[in-house]
Amino acid sequence: MAVLLGTGRCFALGAVLASALLSGPALALAPEHETRRLMLATEGAVVAENWGEAAEYLNRLQQLEGEKPADYFFYRGRVMLQSSHLNEAQSALETYVSRAGAEGAHYQESLQLITSIEKTRKQNALAPQATGESEQVAVIEPAGEGRIESLRKLYLAGSDREALTLHINSLLELAGWRRDQAVVRLDRPADVEYRLVTQGEEIQIQELKRAEDARILRSTETMSVFGINPRVEWRCEATVSTCWVYDPRDGSRLLQLAENRERAQEIAETLGQLIRSLQAPSGS
């Protein structure tokens, strides 16, 4: 099975066209019907290899309330892989496999794609050794400004802050913490979940907690980015199967995440870049 990776120029052009085509008004459907409609549109775009359209539909799905169907994670994995975001692609595909199981329509293909990602990682890791640079660490994701530009193309975003907000929420969607670590059931909602919203020079951190008696507790904390260090610390604790992202204002625990070191690091780095973006005078 071939994994097709389009050129950046073609992908960017597709993103612009998709944004123009999909910017029209939509009917006010109930969330469950809108989810179904966008899932059908996403499936059609992926089958036709219209990756810009698929990314647009997935971004709109991400904004909707409620649980996403298992296929959502399969298609997000495909789009992430198409744009060479290997960490996110693998996380999304693994989530699909866990939720859909062996009976899922894309089960076999997902396993093959995960294997393909692992092979790509190994090739990237060996590449520096072949050129006599064995001390360097392979860089899978684009770094710095190039990375943000890549995210803007992926999410069809008009600004750095929009791209980073969409990206961190995509990561948080897969990073929910679960109380029962003995048997992780990814077909059930996580016990602790987060979503970030930006407004002016502030980040609103929305937390959803599911209590043991099934009550849902929602809270929102506002973080002003003025004067704070955009370097965000993180750490994973295997003994409690938890990763923490720490508050850059005072070093206290800010986000409680499932134990996944790569994902926790990516969330912390993206949060730091979002803070830096909001601090920029240009308001990019």
Side-chain angles (χ1 to χ4, degrees):
M1 178 192 60
V3 178
L4 302 178
L5 296 176
T7 65
R9 182 176 297 176
C10 292
F11 189 83
L13 177 60
V16 172
L17 292 174
S19 180
L21 290 170
L22 301 172
S23 60
L27 297 176
L29 295 175
E32 63 269 22
H33 301 308
E34 182 68 356
T35 296
R36 181 59 180 160
R37 183 183 75 84
L38 292 174
M39 283 298 302
L40 288 171
T42 301
E43 179 181 7
V46 169
V47 169
E49 298 184 1
N50 293 330
W51 302 108
E53 284 188 20
E56 169 72 13
Y57 290 129
L58 286 167
N59 292 344
R60 289 163 67 180
L61 275 162
Q62 184 181 315
Q63 308 296 323
L64 296 178
E65 293 283 341
E67 287 296 301
K68 307 295 189 299
D71 282 3
Y72 164 83
F73 297 99
F74 169 75
Y75 293 125
R76 179 159 287 285
R78 289 290 309 275
V79 171
M80 289 289 185
L81 181 57
Q82 185 69 21
S83 53
S84 299
H85 289 76
L86 301 186
N87 292 340
E88 293 88 338
Q90 184 167 346
S91 291
L93 291 168
E94 288 174 348
T95 300
Y96 169 78
V97 169
S98 298
R99 290 197 175 191
E103 301 302 318
H106 309 289
Y107 176 74
Q108 296 286 351
E109 184 177 0
S110 296
L111 295 180
Q112 291 173 330
L113 288 170
I114 291 169
T115 301
S116 177
I117 291 170
E118 287 185 349
K119 289 181 178 179
T120 302
R121 288 177 185 277
K122 290 180 180 179
Q123 291 172 357
N124 290 345
L126 291 173
Q129 297 181 13
T131 59
E133 301 174 358
S134 57
E135 295 302 318
Q136 295 186 9
V137 177
V139 178
I140 296 175
E141 302 287 359
E145 295 302 320
R147 174 177 180 271
I148 296 179
E149 182 62 27
S150 173
L151 293 177
R152 287 182 65 160
K153 292 177 182 178
L154 174 64
Y155 291 104
L156 310 177
S159 66
D160 291 354
R161 69 177 64 186
E162 181 185 358
L164 290 165
T165 301
L166 286 167
H167 186 55
I168 197 169
N169 282 325
S170 176
L171 293 167
L172 288 170
E173 196 171 34
L174 300 171
W177 181 84
R178 287 172 168 79
R179 188 176 295 106
D180 184 5
Q181 296 292 330
V183 179
V184 177
R185 291 284 304 277
L186 292 180
D187 57 333
R188 296 179 182 175
D191 296 308
V192 180
E193 297 177 286
Y194 300 94
R195 182 176 182 81
L196 268 58
V197 178
T198 61
Q199 189 172 24
E201 295 181 351
E202 295 181 340
I203 299 175
Q204 294 181 354
I205 304 169
Q206 301 171 355
E207 181 185 67
L208 183 151
K209 283 189 175 181
R210 290 179 173 84
E212 293 189 30
D213 59 3
R215 288 183 301 119
I216 297 178
L217 309 175
R218 298 176 184 269
S219 63
T220 300
E221 178 179 355
T222 299
M223 175 194 296
S224 173
V225 303
F226 180 76
I228 66 174
N229 189 342
R231 179 182 174 86
V232 179
E233 302 292 338
W234 64 278
R235 186 171 63 182
C236 292
E237 300 179 20
T239 55
V240 291
S241 300
T242 301
C243 289
W244 300 97
V245 172
Y246 294 96
D247 194 323
R249 294 169 295 184
D250 58 12
S252 62
R253 291 172 173 175
L254 182 66
L255 305 176
Q256 182 179 13
L257 310 173
E259 187 185 10
N260 183 308
R261 294 183 60 83
E262 288 185 350
R263 191 184 297 146
Q265 180 179 8
E266 181 78 2
I267 289 171
E269 290 176 352
T270 304
L271 177 57
Q273 288 181 311
L274 179 59
I275 291 171
R276 190 179 296 109
S277 174
L278 293 175
Q279 290 173 336
S282 61
S284 61

